[in-house]
Amino acid sequence: MKTGLQQNAGLRQELKVNPRLYQAMDLLYMPLLDLQQHLKQELLTNPFLELVEPEEEDDEAPDADDPAAEAQDLTEPEASAEPEPEKTGDDDVDWEAVLLDGFETGGQREEHEQREWYEPVTVDTRDLADHLTEQLSLLELTPRQAILAEEFVGNINDDGWLACPLEEIQRGVNEWLLKEAEERDIESEVPVFTDTEMLQMLQIIQDLDPPGVGARDLRECLLLQLRAAGMREALAYRLVEESFEELIAHRWSELSKRLGISAQDVQGAADEIAKLDPKPGLRFSAGNDNYIIPDLVVEKIDGHYHIFLNDGNLPRLKLSRTYQEIARDKKRFDTESKDFIASKHKSANWMIQAIEQRRQTMLKVMHYIVDRQRDFFERGVQALKPLTLREVAEAVGMHESTVSRVTNEKFVQTPRGVLPLKFFFSSGLATADGDDVSARGIKDQIEKLVGGEDPKNPLTDQAIVEILQQTGVQIARRTVAKYRDQLGVLPARMRKRV
């Protein structure tokens, strides 16, 4: 067989997605704040885009009785006709037409006050390292101790615990000392830090505020806090020091027999220990600056639920008439300039349509969610019905991935609070009468059952199964155990009070 390069002619079909379709997917995926920044950037880079002034929006706004208005009564059917896709004249599939589906570039703004919800955030805060360094500066430390103290502070994590063993800290600071001596050409032998110095500095660090800082494990953290509270002779200190494993396993009877005291005394001491902070450093950690601006608003007006888009801060775009008039005079530009102008003009027009498509898609999905979960809005989380992305996609005539992008990191303001759109999606369980109930509603029922139980006789997983079956919910014991673990509820044996 002859080897070498060969050329062969062949025909094959390929499906290539237009790059703009990827951009449209990104627009659907973006939360409101990210989209706002993206549009501002587009305004800077595309001369054919400009902002719509408020007075212009008032002049071009449709009538309040327009059935295409954004706020629609869910009790009445929508009156919207799908326009014909735009013709391109090419034999290839027009992905823009598939994506945009001929939506108009206009759109009515919401007829309600714009609402933004911000979580309070601090402007400037000191972290745990700053707090410890300030206390160390007030102590009379030698330069050698100051070096070691800085090394200790750098190895304390946000929880307030020592993040690595003493041996690693000792090895790291000694290597630094030797390297410094080598760079300065110090001929005499440099004294390294000893084990005794390490333990002495650990004691200094653990005496700082907050109590428990510098601990190497949970047991030591609790002992430090009890010691700082003057409870070294208390039963709680003895339990943590001598019987920590039995304590965390809630073995009250075993501890009472070993110590020769009543189970009630053991449990009382355990209650005192439960008041301690297992992660004392978190009180100095900087909180995340979370800004929650709902993308959608659901309001109950005259007994009917209405949906609005909360995009008042979103830049409203239009095509610049000035640049359009300049672009019409094609004789003034060479071929390269014409291609650039045509590209920017087409991109601007597409961006306006894609934003409108995003708005219409979000409204369509939210309408179905509200219609499906009406019982939740009326009665609460226990009335939440099971809902999947596929169900919504089939109902609104979209692909499942599109619905996933619409609901990603989006929030909605409802009469029951600000909720992520993902909140409305959960698996379901069958009831005795053939209906379905949401797993989220089952978790809420379990949480309420545990909250109202007798502490001396807590409900077992099997008891919860039987109670739920009496209400018509068919559920297995292992499922109850799984939901209980997800809620952070301890088993019945560890919830029991004596």
Side-chain angles (χ1 to χ4, degrees), residues 118-147:
Y118 296 95
E119 290 186 359
V121 295
T122 54
V123 177
D124 187 19
T125 58
R126 294 188 309 161
D127 59 12
L128 180 61
D130 295 332
H131 184 64
L132 297 177
T133 302
E134 182 179 353
Q135 296 177 72
L136 290 170
S137 66
L138 301 177
L139 303 178
E140 296 181 357
L141 300 178
T142 64
R144 185 176 174 85
Q145 286 179 317
I147 294 174

Side-chain angles (χ1 to χ4, degrees), residues 368-425:
Y368 181 80
I369 292 177
V370 173
D371 188 46
R372 170 70 173 168
Q373 303 291 5
R374 183 180 295 273
D375 290 341
F376 160 76
F377 292 100
E378 295 291 341
R379 307 203 311 267
V381 68
Q382 291 191 11
L384 199 65
K385 295 181 180 179
L387 185 64
T388 62
L389 295 174
R390 177 173 296 181
E391 179 183 346
V392 177
E394 292 176 353
V396 300
M398 299 178 184
H399 194 272
E400 188 174 342
S401 62
T402 303
V403 178
S404 177
R405 291 183 177 90
V406 169
T407 57
N408 178 70
E409 296 185 16
K410 308 293 194 307
F411 290 83
V412 56
Q413 169 70 19
T414 72
R416 294 192 175 273
V418 178
L419 302 170
L421 288 187
K422 293 291 187 183
F423 171 86
F424 298 99
F425 296 86

